């Protein structure tokens, strides 16, 4: 098994060295496990991964209470690093808007921060915040305020169960919990303190902001969290500092990739995770790639429930077909599984074996970050999912959504009548500039297809609508090639193909999208 792992490492190293030639745009999987668990639990999980020559990412909180009290904790982390597991920065205390120094050195770092709002009753410094104007999940609401509650004058068109109420006039924010039965918001301070006591105000215009974001942290507070994490990781005796930041999943707002990038990119971090407007984790991300690399928290599956393996296979197969990376973000909470921890390990092993057997790449997050954002890709790579590939064995080609007018026969798509044949959503890997959409066909009679290729960026903004009209003529097998444009700031393609005539019958195969001038290869 050691030989298998060495081979995997050499293959990745070789892949990373192919920047000049361009690497294949092949998606895969990243496994990340959050928080500080018992050493025995980590070791059992690692044994499963090592059986298949694979590694995972460890999102560690380096706080004194959370990480340093386990017997053998520091030698264990050093051993894991030496084996190729990734140690990630999960913030000193699993929070960003509050901080409490553990020693004189940290106190000196805190004294440099000018954006402390106040110190709470337990001695935690609470940092000031600013409203992120780019955050989209905001609902206007008019409320009557009093004490610890906000009562909507009229029920808003959307109500987030947990979120923040923000007053643009006073630039004040409160953590809010919506009580649907009572029709009120219960309020705590922005920092989750139970000390709110508002004077009565009627008809106050507020913004209801979903709890996953909406607020930024000042650079001096970000630098404090960064420096303290590094100090504590150095104290653990690691040979290399973490290069991926992992947002805390606590009650506080999740910072945006743009906010994190200002400090962590300059400090040498390769990327980070932010739930605000997460990136697609796909090849050829052209829309603000620096922001995308710090917004890689597109959680996609978990093995912590009884149906986890089946669902994971479906998601992974779909993502790989669309040149994307599927991510498992786990806290190793196994109470929903009848067999608890043993069943969780069994699920993990089944999935890893399936990945190995289907040659699906499994890398730690820092390596995926390098592959997606720092390594040149092969422009000749066909980014279209193939009809004959069904890794999850659900009877549907991976990456496709099929409709009644289409059926699969081996590697062919059989057209039967009028209607939508298939759709593909959030397809990554398109090269900017002129591209060619092609396929081979054999038609029984003259008919036509309508191909819509909608090009979008990370925020879902439509950049270009491409429409290709195809005339299918009967006879021997023929090939269609149609040209369409991908703007420079594109991130994904949404594709829909329709048959336009009743009674149409045809066989389609070898769908391909490549940059124009590269040369088509359907083998």
């Amino acid at each position: 098994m050691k030989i298998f792992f060495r081979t995997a490492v050499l293959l990745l190293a070789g892949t990373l060295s192919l920047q000049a030639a361009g690497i294949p745009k092949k998606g895969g999987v990243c496994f990340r496990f959050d928080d500080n668990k018992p050493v025995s639990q980590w070791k059992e999980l690692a044994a499963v991964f090592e059986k298949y020559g694979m590694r995972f990412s460890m999102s560690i909180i380096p706080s004194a209470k959370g990480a340093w009290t386990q017997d053998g904790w520091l030698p264990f982390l050093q051993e894991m690093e030496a084996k190729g597991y990734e140690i990630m920065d999960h913030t000193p205390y699993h929070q960003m808007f509050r901080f409490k120094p553990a020693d004189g050195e940290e106190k000196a770092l805190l004294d440099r921060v000018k954006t402390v709002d106040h110190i709470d009753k337990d001695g935690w410094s609470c940092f000031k915040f600013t409203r992120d104007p780019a955050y989209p999940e905001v609902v206007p609401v008019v409320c009557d305020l009093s004490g610890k509650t906000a009562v909507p004058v009229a029920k808003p068109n959307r109500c987030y169960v947990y979120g923040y109420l923000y007053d643009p006039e006073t630039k004040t924010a409160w953590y809010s919990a919506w009580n649907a039965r009572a029709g009120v918001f219960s309020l705590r301070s922005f920092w989750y303190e139970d000390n709110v006591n508002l004077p009565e105000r009627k008809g106050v215009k507020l913004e209801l902001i979903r709890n996953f974001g909406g607020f930024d942290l000042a650079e001096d507070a970000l630098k404090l969290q960064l420096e303290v994490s590094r100090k504590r990781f150095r104290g653990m005796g690691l040979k290399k500092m973490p290069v991926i930041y992992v947002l805390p999943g606590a009650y506080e707002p999740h910072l945006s990739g743009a906010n994190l990038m200002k400090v962590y990119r300059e400090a040498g971090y390769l990327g980070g995770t932010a739930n605000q407007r997460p990136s697609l984790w796909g090849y050829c991300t052209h829309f603000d790639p620096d922001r995308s690399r710090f917004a890689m928290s597109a959680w996609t599956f978990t093995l912590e429930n009884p149906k986890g393996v089946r669902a994971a296979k479906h998601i992974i197969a779909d993502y790989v077909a669309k040149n994307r990376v599927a991510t498992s973000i786990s806290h190793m909470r196994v109470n929903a599984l009848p067999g608890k921890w043993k069943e969780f390990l069994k699920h993990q092993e089944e999935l890893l074996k399936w990945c190995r057997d289907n040659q699906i790449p499994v890398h730690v997050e820092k390596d995926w970050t390098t592959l997606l954002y720092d390594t040149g890709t092969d422009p000749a790579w066909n980014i279209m999912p193939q009809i004959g590939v069904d890794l999850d064995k659900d009877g549907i080609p991976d990456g496709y959504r099929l409709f009644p007018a289409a059926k699969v026969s081996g590697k062919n798509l059989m057209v039967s009548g009028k209607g939508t044949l298939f759709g593909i959503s959030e397809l990554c890997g398109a090269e900017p500039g002129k591209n060619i959409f092609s396929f081979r066909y054999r038609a029984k009679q003259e008919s036509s297809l309508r191909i819509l290729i909608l090009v979008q960026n990370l925020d879902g903004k439509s950049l270009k609508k491409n429409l290709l009209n195809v005339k299918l003529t009967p006879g021997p097998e023929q090939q269609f090639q149609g040209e369409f444009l991908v703007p420079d700031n594109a991130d994904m393609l949404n594709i829909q193909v329709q048959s336009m005539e009743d009674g149409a019958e045809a066989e389609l195969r070898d769908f391909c999208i490549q940059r124009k001038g590269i040369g088509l290869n359907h083998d």
Side-chain angles (χ1 to χ4, degrees):
M1 198 51 58
K2 289 182 179 178
I3 294 174
F4 186 97
F5 176 60
R6 281 196 216 104
T7 302
V9 171
L10 289 172
L11 284 173
L12 176 61
T15 298
L16 298 182
S17 70
L18 288 177
Q19 185 166 358
I23 63 169
K25 301 171 188 175
K26 185 170 184 177
V29 192
C30 179
F31 292 93
R32 191 186 99 202
F33 298 92
D34 283 11
D35 303 340
N36 305 342
K37 306 297 181 182
V39 168
S40 59
Q41 203 169 17
W42 283 115
K43 286 185 175 180
E44 289 183 46
L45 182 64
V48 175
F49 273 76
E50 289 169 24
K51 181 178 179 180
Y52 296 94
M54 299 172 183
R55 298 294 184 263
F56 54 77
S57 298
M58 303 175 65
S59 179
I60 298 300
I61 308 165
S63 61
K65 291 183 179 179
W68 299 64
T69 57
Q70 296 183 53
D71 290 338
W73 173 247
L74 298 185
F76 163 71
L77 275 185
Q78 295 162 13
E79 178 187 352
M80 293 294 279
E81 181 190 43
K83 286 183 175 181
Y85 292 91
E86 177 182 18
I87 311 297
M88 312 171 84
D89 178 359
H90 201 22
T91 75
Y93 285 112
H94 205 248
Q95 52 193 310
M96 290 295 285
F97 285 88
R98 298 197 317 154
F99 181 81
K100 187 176 183 179
D103 55 33
E105 183 180 350
E106 293 180 11
K107 176 65 167 60
L109 291 171
L110 177 61
D111 288 342
R112 300 176 192 170
V113 178
K114 305 302 181 184
T115 55
V116 174
D117 185 87
H118 66 281
I119 299 175
D120 70 12
K121 62 182 181 64
D122 296 318
W124 289 80
S125 293
C126 299
F127 301 131
K128 295 178 181 179
F129 57 85
T130 56
R131 169 83 167 80
D132 175 10
Y135 189 66
E137 297 183 78
V138 178
V139 178
V141 57
V142 178
C143 292
D144 294 336
L145 304 179
S146 179
K148 298 178 184 293
T149 62
V151 182
V153 174
K155 185 178 178 180
N157 57 13
R158 275 182 297 165
C159 258
Y160 302 123
V161 177
Y162 299 106
Y164 293 85
L165 282 172
Y166 178 71
D167 183 349
E169 183 179 342
T170 62
K171 294 183 171 53
T172 305
W174 304 276
Y175 180 83
S176 67
W178 172 245
N179 185 327
R181 181 173 295 180
V184 302
F185 293 101
S186 298
L187 305 179
R188 284 178 171 260
S189 79
F190 178 86
W191 302 272
Y192 205 66
E193 302 156 294
D194 188 16
N195 60 1
V196 175
N197 187 18
L198 301 175
E200 186 172 328
R201 295 169 62 197
K202 298 287 187 180
V204 183
K205 295 181 179 179
L206 303 174
E207 295 175 343
L208 175 60
I209 301 173
R210 193 179 179 207
N211 66 319
F212 285 132
F215 298 94
D216 287 338
L217 193 59
E219 289 189 25
D220 59 355
L222 286 172
K223 289 178 179 178
L224 168 72
Q225 299 282 15
L226 168 68
E227 288 304 317
V228 172
S229 280
R230 285 181 157 184
K231 164 183 173 286
R232 295 183 181 181
F233 280 117
R234 281 193 297 269
M236 292 179 175
L238 299 181
K239 291 186 177 180
K240 295 182 180 180
M241 291 294 98
V243 292
I244 300 290
Y245 162 93
V246 179
L247 63 89
Y251 64 86
E252 64 181 20
H254 298 166
L255 301 177
S256 67
N259 190 200
L260 293 171
M261 183 182 66
K262 294 176 182 177
V263 169
Y264 285 82
R265 181 78 156 128
E266 185 177 323
Y269 278 56
L270 298 177
T273 64
N275 279 339
Q276 283 197 52
R277 301 151 71 206
S279 62
L280 295 171
W281 269 62
Y283 282 98
C284 293
T285 299
H286 305 292
F287 176 64
D288 199 353
D290 276 344
R291 194 206 79 184
S292 294
R293 68 162 68 230
F294 280 92
M296 297 191 302
S297 190
W299 173 87
T300 50
F301 70 90
T302 180
L303 301 179
E304 298 171 4
N305 62 71
K307 297 181 180 179
V309 177
R310 182 179 178 182
K313 288 180 180 179
H314 175 72
I315 291 169
I316 293 169
D318 183 75
Y319 272 51
V320 170
K322 295 190 285 193
N323 317 301
R324 297 176 61 183
V325 178
T327 57
S328 170
I329 302 175
S330 172
H331 292 81
M332 293 187 265
R333 295 169 183 157
V334 297
N335 288 336
L337 296 173
K340 300 295 191 294
W341 177 244
K342 288 185 178 179
E343 187 171 348
F344 179 76
L345 293 178
K346 183 179 177 181
H347 282 189
Q348 190 70 65
E349 179 161 5
E350 179 184 346
L351 188 59
L352 293 178
K353 181 180 183 300
W354 178 79
C355 289
R356 184 199 64 184
D357 292 347
N358 287 282
Q359 298 181 321
I360 296 172
V362 175
H363 300 310
V364 296
E365 187 162 327
K366 64 180 179 181
D367 290 338
W368 276 121
T369 305
T370 299
L371 288 168
L372 293 175
Y373 297 104
D374 298 321
T375 311
T377 53
D378 180 5
W381 184 262
N382 177 14
I383 69 168
M384 274 290 285
Q386 294 306 295
I387 296 296
V389 178
D390 180 16
L391 299 182
D392 61 338
K393 306 300 182 186
D394 65 351
I396 301 172
D398 299 335
Y400 285 81
R401 182 185 177 194
L402 292 187
F403 290 84
K407 289 182 172 54
V408 174
S409 176
K411 295 183 179 181
N412 295 331
L413 188 72
M414 313 302 291
V415 179
S416 177
K418 182 179 181 180
T420 300
L421 302 178
F422 66 81
I424 300 173
S425 62
E426 297 184 339
L427 176 65
C428 290
E431 297 282 340
K434 293 179 180 179
N435 280 250
I436 300 294
F437 182 99
S438 67
F439 59 90
R440 289 177 175 170
Y441 72 89
R442 182 179 287 110
K444 288 191 174 182
Q445 68 277 318
E446 200 168 281
S447 58
S448 61
L449 302 178
R450 180 177 182 268
I451 302 170
L452 174 64
I453 305 175
L454 189 64
V455 187
Q456 294 183 308
N457 66 18
L458 185 61
D459 291 335
K461 180 181 178 182
S462 295
L463 304 175
K464 179 71 177 177
K465 182 178 179 180
N466 298 279
L467 187 61
L468 304 177
N469 293 302
V470 186
K471 289 292 184 183
L472 303 182
T473 56
E477 185 177 79
Q478 301 177 61
Q479 184 181 55
F480 166 79
Q481 294 187 23
E483 183 179 303
F484 70 96
L485 183 65
V486 175
D488 290 343
N489 57 343
D491 281 310
M492 57 183 166
L493 308 180
N494 290 315
I495 301 172
Q496 187 180 77
V497 178
Q498 295 176 305
S499 173
M500 305 306 292
E501 279 84 30
D502 291 325
E505 290 186 72
E507 297 178 7
L508 314 178
R509 71 180 181 92
D510 295 339
F511 289 98
C512 182
I513 290 179
Q514 289 178 308
R515 195 172 72 189
K516 184 178 180 180
I518 296 298
L520 301 178
N521 178 11
H522 291 291
D523 296 331

